[in-house]
Structures are given as structure tokens and as C-alpha cells.
Amino acid sequence: MGTLELKQSLTGHRGRVWSVCWHPKGANLASCGEDKTIIIWGLEGFKWVTKMILTEGHSRTIRELAWSPCGNYIASASFDATTAVWDKKSGQFECNTTLEGHENEVKSVSWSISGQLLATCSRDKSVWVWEVNDDEYECAAVINAHTQDVKKVRWHPHDEILASASYDNTVKIFKEDAADSDWSCIATLSSHTSTVWSLSWDKIGNRIATCSDDKTVKIWREYKPENDVGVVTPNNESVWKCICTLSGYHTRTIYDIDWCKTTGLLVTACGDDIIRIFKEDSDCDPHQPNFTMVCSIDNAHAQDVNCVQWNPAIPGQLASASDDGSVKIWFYNE
Amino acid sequence: MSENLENINPKLYKKLDDREITLEEQNDDIADEFDAREIFDIIRNINDPEHPLTLEELNVVEQNLIEVDDKRNRVDVKFTPTIPHCSMATLIGLSIRVQLLRALPARFKVSVEISPGTHVSEAAVNKQLADKERVAAALENSMLLGVINQCLAPKN
């Protein structure tokens, strides 16, 4: 068993904190919540302090935020039906672009690895793909593949492939068709029996971990056409199969999951106030992997844990956000 | 207004007597746990959205459909819509949820569900009420919040 050590508890938000996101270099952390503000945290000596507070970008709850891969922009998704893009051209982060179009609450936002594409999703059941050109944002696609509220969008770690998770219990994968530059759904991952709250790609991008209101985590694997294990791939498109289900560990809704790109560890945020860490067994069949829970912190927060994210640059460092109004910085030791 | 009501003549039920306060409960030095009766007292006087009656009088909430586990921070409330196709079911559930949210310490995990088998779209309503993100968004809607506050406002 490993241990998860609390490094610091950060207070500053009023009310529920919905989301945290690390700067790609790992030295800063941004958080947002129902108080409609974004706080940027940074280290001063050994202490995390408030570096900046961004206000007046949104008129309602900020549900999620995402740093661009270059670290110069922050996109924030809000219940006010808009997505704001903040840049620091003036030296300070300022909101200079507001993306409108969704009919109601925007739930999630994600940048592609190139920084050229931005995806948003909403309660209005749609997923939008925006093209970024010199600070101009143009809607490249409105995808209406889900039948319910879309909770999460996440780009593939290397390619322009998008995954989304929904209240309709499915995850869908989208790709642009080179022939007519239309975005279409190339796979539907069905197995969860309730809302899929979040998803995370692995380092390579051929597996996805999903978490759900059904209290399970599932691991999915891509089988490309002509794969050597004989998985049939109709229409010459990849097929995604659920190769592992982690059940019996979580006692309430699992709101978030993050798959560390450096250590391969999975971390989950649960409505039972617990943060859990899972590790893949080293000698298992890649088509039937086994994951072992290596850490579980009771009362990690005083209320629901909404978001967890591994630091992309410092292996083992973790940030979490909770309904209790706090953001916490942790370190995982094996 | 009455011709728009779905359930024009709802059946009325007898109200519970007031709770007897014991000496032990009056003693501030003794920590007493939340029990089903206490939760019931918090929600029994919520007004029905369409009738000038309380949820208790319509038998929408009952003490024996409330489960409390104070040590594990759990409160589970089941409610019974007056008719199986009641379009107000989500609103009633939301009012119960908001009332408990305001009255109980934040440590409690509250679940509000329809009594099994008493509503045609029970699963959909339960899923909606359990989704805290959608509940949070709903409560930022000032029109809806106004309606809920009206349900929660004590009479007179």
C-alpha cells in the first residue's frame, strides 16, 4: 500500500469548488467553482499561495477550466452557457474572448494537444469543436450524438480524436472525416448503467478509463482494424471494448478520474469524500488487465470530492477539489 | 386555477401530533443524533406546489419512509406523488432536497427518491434529483428558485 500525504489545504473560494487544473509545466494550479471566480495558485517558498483571482468572466458557476498546452491561455466553461478564453497578453490574465452558442450550461472544456482545437459540451446534449486561429475561434462542428446532458469532453493525448461522457450512460468518440471535414461519432462505449461523469485517456491513447454514477470504473481498450487478437472491426473503424471493471470499491457516485501519464496510476474523486488510487498489476494480460487499489484516504475532504488531477510535471503530486470549498495538494508515495 | 389542477380532489390525511420534547433533549450537554422524526419535522410543512396543503397532509411525505444514519451522515427520504403521472414530482423532490440542504449540517449526504412503484417516470425523476450538478444549475435559475422558496415558505 502507498500513502497519500496532504501537503496543503488551500482556501479562498466561497462555496463549492468544482474543478482544478494544473499548468502544463506543473508550477501553477487553477481552480474554479460556484463563486464564479478562477483562482491561480503558485508556490512561494514551500507554501502554495493565491497568485491571481480572475473575476467577471462569467455570470454563473464556473464548472471547469483548462490550461492550453502552451500554458498561455485558460478556457473556462460556465453554467451561463458560455466558454471564456483568458490570455495574459497584457501581463495579467484577462478574458478577451467569449464563445457563445450552447443553449444552456456548458459542463466541460478541453484543448487538443496542438492547441488548435477546443471542445466544449453542454446540458443541451451537444459537443462543439472550435478551431483556433490567431485568437479567433470558429465553430468547426456541432455534434449531436448524445441523447442527454454531456458531462465531459477530453482530447486524445496525441491525435485529434475526442471523447465525451454523458448522462445517457455512454462515452462517444469523435473524429474528423478527412473527405468532407465533418466530425462524426466513430465509437460508442456502452456498459455503464448510469451517468458517466468523467473519463481519462492513458499515456499512449489506446485506452480510456471512465467513472460513473453506477459506482464503477471501467477500462476500455481500442482494437484497430486487423488487430492480431481477432476482434471484429466493422466499417474498418476501431472497436472499443471494456476490458476491466472496478466495482465494489466506491460507495457513492464517482465524479472524476485521472490517469497519470507518467506513473500510470489512476486516481478517483468520489461522493463518499474518499480519494482512491489504483495501480495496474505488472504481469497481467493486456487484454484482461487487473488493477489493485493501492491507497484510499477516508475523509480526504469534508464533503464530496469533485475533481482530482495529477501534476503533469511532478510524478506523485495530486490536486483535488471539493464541495467543502477547499482545494488540496497531495503527494503519493509508493 | 382549479381546472388546471391535475389532481383536483386529493385525499387528505391526518397530521401527526407534535413531537414530545424530552428532558434529555433539552439538555445542551447531551448530543442527540438526528432521527427520522426530526427529519420529518423539517419537511412535513413544505407546501404542495398546486394545493394549499402541506406534503404531510397529502401523504407525500411520511415519517416511516425516512431513514437516517447519523453516524454515517446519511439521510434517505422517499416521497409519494399524489398521482402516478404527477408532473410536479421533480419540483416536489427538489423542494425537499433544498429544505434539507438548508436545514442539515453539510456533512449529511441526502438522497431524495420517489417511493418505488408510485410514479410512471420514477427512474428518470430519481436520476435527475440525484445529479447534484443539475440540481445546482436548477437552483441558479431565479424563476425556479422563486417557486421552490414559495413551497418552503411557512404559511401565515
Side-chain angles (χ1 to χ4, degrees), chain A residues 237-249:
Chain A
E237 283 287 1
S238 289
V239 163
W240 287 78
K241 280 189 167 307
C242 176
I243 54 169
C244 176
T245 299
L246 300 173
S247 57
Y249 293 101

Side-chain angles (χ1 to χ4, degrees), chain B residues 129-148:
Chain B
L129 289 172
D131 185 321
K132 68 169 185 179
E133 184 186 61
R134 290 166 69 124
V135 169
L139 297 184
E140 285 186 4
N141 176 335
S142 55
M143 272 237 310
L144 186 57
L145 191 61
V147 175
I148 291 171

Side-chain angles (χ1 to χ4, degrees), chain B residues 11-36:
Chain B
K11 193 172 168 217
L12 289 190
Y13 293 80
K14 193 177 173 294
K15 288 209 261 182
L16 222 62
D17 291 330
D18 279 344
R19 176 197 179 104
E20 271 183 50
I21 312 274
T22 62
L23 279 172
E24 198 178 272
E25 283 169 335
Q26 284 173 327
N27 184 344
D28 286 342
D29 295 331
I30 298 172
D32 32 42
E33 296 186 345
F34 282 92
D35 56 21

Side-chain angles (χ1 to χ4, degrees), chain A residues 16 60-61 63 79 105 107 123 149 151 167 169 195 197 252 255 271 273 303-304 306 323, chain B residues 73-74 76 106-107 109-111 124 127-134 136-138 140-141:
Chain A
R16 167 185 282 161
R60 290 181 58 188
T61 284
R63 176 64 182 88
F79 283 0
E105 298 101 68
K107 298 292 179 71
R123 168 85 174 273
D149 190 356
K151 298 294 197 187
Y167 190 89
N169 307 355
T195 304
W197 277 95
R252 299 188 82 87
Y255 290 109
D273 312 347
Q303 294 178 51
D304 295 5
N306 292 323
D323 278 357
Chain B
N73 299 327
R74 288 184 58 154
D76 293 337
R107 65 184 168 94
K109 312 277 184 189
V110 176
S111 102
K127 189 171 184 180
Q128 172 94 356
L129 289 172
D131 185 321
K132 68 169 185 179
E133 184 186 61
R134 290 166 69 124
E140 285 186 4
N141 176 335

Side-chain angles (χ1 to χ4, degrees), chain A residues 8-319:
Chain A
Q8 202 180 324
S9 184
L10 314 181
T11 51
H13 282 290
R14 278 167 289 112
R16 167 185 282 161
V17 188
W18 273 115
S19 165
V20 284
C21 185
W22 290 99
H23 182 279
K25 291 207 169 76
N28 287 101
L29 180 76
S31 60
C32 64
E34 72 172 329
D35 65 4
K36 311 177 188 77
T37 68
I38 296 172
I39 300 184
I40 299 174
W41 311 86
L43 271 176
E44 231 160 59
F46 294 103
K47 262 195 113 55
W48 289 89
V49 297
T50 300
K51 291 284 185 186
M52 243 179 273
I53 300 178
L54 314 183
T55 57
E56 286 164 23
H58 292 289
S59 59
R60 290 181 58 188
T61 284
I62 305 179
R63 176 64 182 88
E64 191 175 82
L65 47 75
W67 292 89
S68 62
C70 65
N72 293 326
Y73 299 87
I74 292 174
S76 55
S78 168
F79 283 0
D80 69 11
T82 71
T83 306
V85 182
W86 309 72
D87 64 60
K88 51 179 181 188
K89 296 224 160 64
S90 68
Q92 293 274 4
F93 267 106
E94 275 176 19
C95 171
N96 287 316
T97 308
T98 302
L99 309 179
E100 293 174 1
H102 280 295
E103 282 170 33
N104 36 44
E105 298 101 68
V106 185
K107 298 292 179 71
S108 176
V109 58
S110 176
W111 299 86
S112 68
I113 190 67
S114 66
Q116 299 298 298
L117 295 171
L118 191 69
T120 57
C121 65
S122 162
R123 168 85 174 273
D124 69 11
K125 305 170 189 174
S126 68
V127 172
W128 290 44
V129 177
W130 308 78
E131 266 172 29
V132 186
N133 279 310
D134 296 331
D135 289 326
E136 296 288 324
Y137 295 76
E138 198 182 329
C139 175
V142 175
I143 313 166
N144 289 302
H146 283 291
T147 59
Q148 289 286 348
D149 190 356
V150 189
K151 298 294 197 187
K152 198 68 79 182
V153 277
R154 287 289 180 262
W155 287 98
H156 187 282
H158 313 292
D159 299 328
E160 293 188 336
I161 295 173
L162 182 67
S164 62
S166 166
Y167 190 89
D168 70 11
N169 307 355
T170 70
V171 168
K172 287 182 183 279
I173 297 176
F174 309 103
K175 204 172 73 176
E176 189 179 22
D177 187 336
D180 56 6
S181 68
D182 241 7
W183 285 79
S184 55
C185 174
I186 54 167
T188 298
L189 284 52
S190 304
S191 178
H192 280 297
T193 56
S194 190
T195 304
V196 188
W197 277 95
S198 190
L199 68 100
S200 185
W201 296 82
D202 78 344
K203 178 187 174 177
I204 298 167
N206 66 353
R207 293 191 297 174
I208 292 175
T210 57
C211 64
S212 164
D213 179 52
D214 69 12
K215 307 184 183 89
T216 70
V217 166
K218 288 181 186 283
I219 310 291
W220 308 77
R221 188 187 166 100
E222 179 184 20
Y223 290 92
K224 294 202 161 117
E226 289 161 38
N227 61 82
D228 51 15
V229 283
V231 173
V232 184
T233 55
N235 308 325
N236 220 28
E237 283 287 1
S238 289
V239 163
W240 287 78
K241 280 189 167 307
C242 176
I243 54 169
C244 176
T245 299
L246 300 173
S247 57
Y249 293 101
H250 300 84
T251 67
R252 299 188 82 87
T253 305
I254 312 165
Y255 290 109
D256 198 21
I257 187 160
D258 193 33
W259 204 332
C260 184
K261 306 294 182 275
T262 47
T263 62
L265 293 168
L266 277 174
V267 62
T268 59
C270 188
D272 61 13
D273 312 347
I274 298 176
I275 294 175
R276 296 173 176 84
I277 295 173
F278 298 87
K279 188 181 181 181
E280 188 172 2
D281 294 357
S282 50
D283 50 355
C284 54
D285 177 355
H287 305 290
Q288 271 180 305
N290 235 342
F291 285 76
T292 304
M293 189 167 75
V294 291
C295 188
S296 164
I297 296 291
D298 285 355
N299 305 311
H301 282 275
Q303 294 178 51
D304 295 5
V305 189
N306 292 323
C307 180
V308 278
Q309 200 179 74
W310 293 105
N311 187 314
I314 303 170
Q317 196 173 50
L318 185 71

